[in-house]
Amino acid sequence: MAIEYRKLCEKDLDIFIEMRINQLREEGAKEDIDLKPALRDYYIRHMKDGTFVSWIAVDDEKIIGTSGMSFVEKPPYFGCPSGKMGLLSSMFTNADYRRMGIAKELLHRVVKEAQNYGCGTIQITASDMGVKLYTAYGFVHNGNFMQYKL
């Protein structure tokens, strides 16, 4: 089996979006709305303007792993003087391909993208499954993170 790694392109979006929705369901999402149009709109706009990038893993033309990095900018602070941040998302590997280093390779590639973009930090809301991968890679918990839902 030869896994190929490449950047996500628009022709991959239908499958990428399906995998994103499956990931959200696997992580416990219960909402029952059609997210497909909103996801398609987001990915197309942000791939175009360079504020979203994804590397995917492909086995024999089938997407078996995904990653995503959104770039945002906020006022610079001491922990991130550039103000540029990467928001990691869409980290998902097909169950038949887990524990083979695919997620680690995808993570490495999108972290490089964030570095190249000039990000000073990367944030993620990690699933229980992902915590081990991110901790091994060097991510640390930040107890200051809070969220307010609008």
Side-chain angles (χ1 to χ4, degrees), residues 102-136:
I102 294 167
K104 183 179 179 183
E105 180 63 29
L106 291 169
L107 177 61
H108 182 68
R109 288 171 185 249
V110 289
V111 165
K112 280 275 179 246
E113 296 281 350
Q115 273 178 326
N116 294 341
Y117 191 83
C119 293
T121 189
I122 295 171
Q123 291 184 350
I124 185 171
T125 304
S127 68
D128 294 343
M129 225 186 322
V131 169
K132 224 182 237 174
L133 168 70
Y134 306 126
T135 303

Side-chain angles (χ1 to χ4, degrees), residues 8 41 63 74 107 120 126 141:
L8 177 73
D41 174 65
I63 300 173
K74 57 193 246 181
L107 177 61
H141 285 277

